[in-house]
């Protein structure tokens, strides 16, 4: 894939070591290496850029933005830096600022596909799907054989509701790299969204066969089994994922959700307990366990878990809605009203809001 030509000055050996750490997911070591380079050479643009990228990977968007701002102060016409900062803005939900930076990156390097991919993300956030699709098409024109471009195109298209476009993009990825199990797995999920479970299962079965030791194809197939009403097979696939990755929270979350839907709240609670222990910073783990407690009519423990989830993700409307239901279960109408107001403030769907008994609040 064509990439930007990044700014470079001074000795790059430290930066290269940091990038090697980053490639190995050793984020703290990478940042420490970039820190040393910056301390020795505060005008090293590449070091600022790479540390910003490391902070972005770590989810520290404030520090990532500060590093990209510093790099751009040193090299204001570097397209890679505008793309990087635009990516941070988009991750922060500041879509207009992200769009501005992506526009600048494209103006400076109009033949680089990743800039159009970034701008498509900004347009998707701004609910401008046609503009997003135009940029996805442009990226594919520039890099027609790049499988990652096609998979990313499909992902963005799915997120904005263009499932048939996504399927076509996965088709292109598979043509160019037929051994890429992720493309079959994701195309299977897309087929399921259209209701074509036959093609969905064919793709997912192939993905499982291609990557029998990876939990993700099993988890994706489990979700499709659930959509098709095959709960037993869904639980079986989640259990296989648990065995393959016993220290990974997602299989427990997925199985807990299915068990809860089946009415097996005690078993779901055990899975959510494990998910919380493995991923104590994941709001979904607390929310799932809170839902299991609520099903077991344990409103106090449910509220405690929803409190934890909201501390991690304070603007999630679903979490406030769930906590409102728990307060209502306990008979605390005042706190239920407060959470419902917060849920409405953060954009709760009106249909979901209508499921609570307003007459009693």
């Amino acid at each position: 894939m064509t990439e930007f030509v990044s700014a470079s000055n001074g000795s790059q050996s430290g930066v290269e070591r940091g990038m090697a750490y980053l490639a190995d997911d050793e984020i703290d070591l990478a940042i420490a290496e970039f820190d040393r380079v910056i301390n020795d050479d505060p005008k090293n643009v590449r070091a600022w850029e790479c540390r910003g990228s490391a902070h972005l990977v770590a989810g520290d968007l404030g520090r990532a933005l500060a590093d990209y701002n510093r790099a751009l102060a040193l090299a204001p016409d570097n397209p890679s830096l505008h793309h990087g900062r635009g990516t941070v803005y988009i991750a922060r939900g500041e879509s207009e600022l992200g769009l501005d930076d992506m526009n600048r990156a494209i103006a400076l390097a109009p033949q680089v596909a990743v800039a159009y991919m970034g701008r498509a993300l900004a347009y998707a956030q701004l609910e401008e799907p046609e503009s997003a699709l135009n940029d996805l098409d442009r990226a594919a024109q520039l890099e027609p054989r790049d499988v990652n471009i096609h998979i990313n195109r499909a992902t963005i298209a799915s997120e904005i509701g263009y499932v048939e476009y996504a399927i076509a993009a996965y088709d292109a990825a598979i043509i160019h790299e037929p051994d890429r199990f992720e493309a079959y797995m994701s195309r299977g999920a897309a087929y399921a969204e259209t209701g074509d479970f036959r093609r969905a299962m064919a793709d997912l079965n192939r993905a499982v066969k291609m990557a029998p030791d990876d939990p993700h194809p099993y988890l994706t197939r489990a979700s499709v089994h659930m959509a098709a009403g095959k709960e037993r097979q869904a639980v079986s696939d989640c259990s296989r994922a648990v065995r393959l990755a016993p220290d990974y929270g997602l299989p427990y979350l997925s199985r807990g959700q299915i068990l809860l839907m089946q009415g097996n709240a005690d078993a779901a609670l055990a899975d959510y307990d494990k998910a919380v222990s493995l991923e104590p910073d994941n709001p979904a783990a607390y929310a799932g366990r809170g839902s299991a407690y609520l099903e077991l009519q344990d409103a106090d423990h449910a509220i405690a878990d929803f409190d934890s989830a909201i501390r991690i993700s304070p603007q999630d409307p679903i979490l406030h809605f769930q906590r409102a239901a728990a307060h209502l279960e306990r008979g605390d109408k005042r706190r239920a009203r407060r959470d419902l107001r917060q849920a409405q403030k953060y954009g709760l769907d009106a249909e979901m809001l209508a499921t609570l008994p307003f007459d009693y609040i």
Side-chain angles (χ1 to χ4, degrees), residues 327-328 331-341 360-361:
H327 283 308
L328 201 59
D332 191 338
K333 297 178 182 178
R334 180 179 63 83
R335 286 189 171 89
R337 289 192 197 98
R338 184 181 64 192
D339 265 328
L340 285 176
R341 285 195 293 269
Y360 300 101
I361 295 178

Side-chain angles (χ1 to χ4, degrees), residues 117 120-121 124 129 132-134 136-137 149-170 190 193:
M117 296 296 296
L121 277 172
L133 293 177
N134 287 338
L136 296 177
D137 287 340
I149 287 285
H150 292 301
I151 289 177
N152 288 333
R153 286 170 61 220
T155 301
I156 296 170
S158 291
E159 289 174 354
I160 59 178
Y162 284 73
V163 181
E164 295 294 344
Y165 182 105
I167 290 170
Y170 288 127
E193 285 190 57

